Amino acid sequence: MQTRSEITTTDGVKLHVSISGPQDAQVTVVLAHGWCLDRRTWMHQITALAGMGRRAPRVIAFDTRGHGRSGATRLREATLARLGDDMAEVIRRCAPTGPVVLAGHSMGGMTIMEYAHRHPGEFAARVAGLLLVSTTAEGHTHTRYGLPVSLANVLRAGETFGAGLLARSGTWRPHRAVLPALRPALRWLLFGDDCAEEAMLLTMRSLGRAPLRSIGGFRESIGAQLRLDTLAELSGMPTTVLVGDRDRLTPPACAESIAGALTGAELTVLAGAGHMLPLERPAEVSEALVAIVRRAARDAKRARRALTRPSRCSRAA
């Protein structure tokens, strides 16, 4: 059974949250979606987690500020730093105890890194596993849009200028009317060799919900983020990194640098896949997430046994 609610952040923005799974689950999974998308990106993974039966985790999926059903963000708060703080608030209020597995797609993965950077004590105490999907820790360092470097630089300059204009356009959504015309470009930019109609339509509907301020406002922060040092401090954390070899926004070089910084992380490159892996390759993403949840549950069980096992001193007494 899924319940929906809202939480109000410390700066007054209402975040739309959906919660499913057993209340007494051993593990809680928190799902963070990408830029201009919403929590529905994870619909296949939510179904897969529910299918774990008695071992099913509690699942929290929320719409980032300025996205989906969540409230609009002020332009000065359209930053990854603020999203990291929002994630901290969601976890404190909706999952105050127990181990947490974090899964992030694209900007959602960057949000997880920001949470780790800004709240290292909480992160270390609570997080038991990570799934980082089609994301980067180096801003736009490796982004080439699948084009030669010279053309990519021209496109980035135009994108950056356009983002600045959109950021100052408020909460309007006039782009909904032109989305059908943009469909071929979105299909090329976001997907790989195959694209189910359902995945394409959901992506377009999510983009249609995003205000112009959100589309443009987060661009600067996303392009500038550098968090490899933060990831290096998390070495040993159970982590899986997924990327498509046709990803034009966060190409394999992004995932490789993440896996290189996170000692012990498992890297998988999916042939023929693009940027929208949770929708494009749902089975592979779900399999990776379920495996991390199972490992987190085993680790939590062992930790509880260790706490209840009598010490040598107590046995001797």
Side-chain angles (χ1 to χ4, degrees):
M1 179 178 176
Q2 186 178 91
T3 61
R4 296 181 180 180
S5 63
E6 285 185 338
I7 67 170
T8 302
T9 63
T10 53
D11 68 338
V13 175
K14 292 183 177 180
L15 300 181
H16 184 84
V17 181
S18 66
I19 304 175
S20 58
Q23 293 186 354
D24 60 348
Q26 292 185 348
V27 176
T28 298
V29 177
V30 178
L31 304 170
H33 65 76
W35 185 24
C36 303
L37 301 171
D38 61 41
R39 70 191 186 287
R40 294 175 297 174
T41 303
W42 295 103
M43 62 180 188
H44 298 295
Q45 288 68 50
I46 292 172
T47 299
L49 293 171
M52 293 178 67
R54 292 184 296 105
R55 297 180 180 180
R58 194 158 174 76
V59 181
I60 298 170
F62 67 100
D63 288 337
T64 295
R65 61 173 57 219
H67 294 72
R69 295 187 178 183
S70 288
T73 182
R74 290 183 291 273
L75 182 56
R76 66 177 179 272
E77 300 293 344
T79 66
L80 290 173
R82 180 66 245 189
L83 297 190
D85 291 344
D86 287 350
M87 176 170 278
E89 291 194 51
V90 169
I91 293 172
R92 289 171 199 155
R93 299 191 198 184
C94 301
T97 61
V100 174
V101 169
L102 302 179
H105 170 244
S106 193
M107 186 179 74
M110 303 176 86
T111 298
I112 291 171
M113 298 173 207
E114 206 64 25
Y115 170 45
H117 175 72
R118 295 174 65 81
H119 306 272
E122 289 183 31
F123 191 98
R126 299 298 311 283
V127 179
L130 300 174
L131 176 63
L132 300 174
V133 183
S134 307
T135 191
T136 180
E138 300 176 273
H140 59 218
T141 301
H142 300 292
T143 303
R144 298 288 183 268
Y145 314 101
L147 300 171
V149 175
S150 57
L151 290 178
N153 290 337
V154 172
L155 181 57
R156 180 178 296 117
E159 179 199 356
T160 302
F161 176 76
L165 295 178
L166 294 177
R168 295 188 290 275
S169 299
T171 58
W172 294 359
R173 297 178 176 87
H175 53 291
R176 288 180 176 182
V178 301
L179 275 177
L182 295 176
R183 176 176 172 137
L186 292 173
R187 166 67 178 84
W188 172 81
L189 182 65
L190 298 177
F191 291 88
D193 294 344
D194 300 312
C195 174
E197 181 67 10
E198 178 189 33
M200 188 71 231
L201 290 177
L202 179 56
T203 300
M204 291 177 66
R205 286 197 294 268
S206 299
L207 178 57
R209 277 186 173 184
L212 296 181
R213 180 186 294 160
S214 297
I215 295 174
F218 285 99
R219 177 64 182 85
E220 180 179 359
S221 182
I222 289 172
Q225 188 188 41
L226 297 172
R227 288 287 174 255
L228 288 179
D229 289 346
T230 297
L231 292 177
E233 296 175 3
L234 306 178
S235 290
M237 170 79 64
T239 303
T240 297
V241 184
L242 301 179
V243 68
D245 69 356
R246 299 286 193 274
D247 193 329
R248 296 179 173 88
L249 294 179
T250 55
C254 298
E256 290 163 2
S257 66
I258 290 172
L262 266 167
T263 303
E266 179 180 339
L267 170 63
T268 300
V269 180
L270 300 178
H275 187 67
M276 297 296 294
L277 292 184
L279 295 174
E280 190 177 355
R281 296 293 181 86
E284 290 92 331
V285 176
S286 296
E287 182 181 358
L289 183 54
V290 167
I292 294 172
V293 170
R294 285 175 174 161
R295 177 172 175 177
R298 289 195 300 269
D299 291 346
K301 189 174 183 179
R302 282 195 290 266
R304 286 195 302 273
R305 286 177 175 173
L307 287 174
T308 57
R309 188 181 300 127
S311 67
R312 290 183 179 179
C313 293
S314 62
R315 289 200 297 268

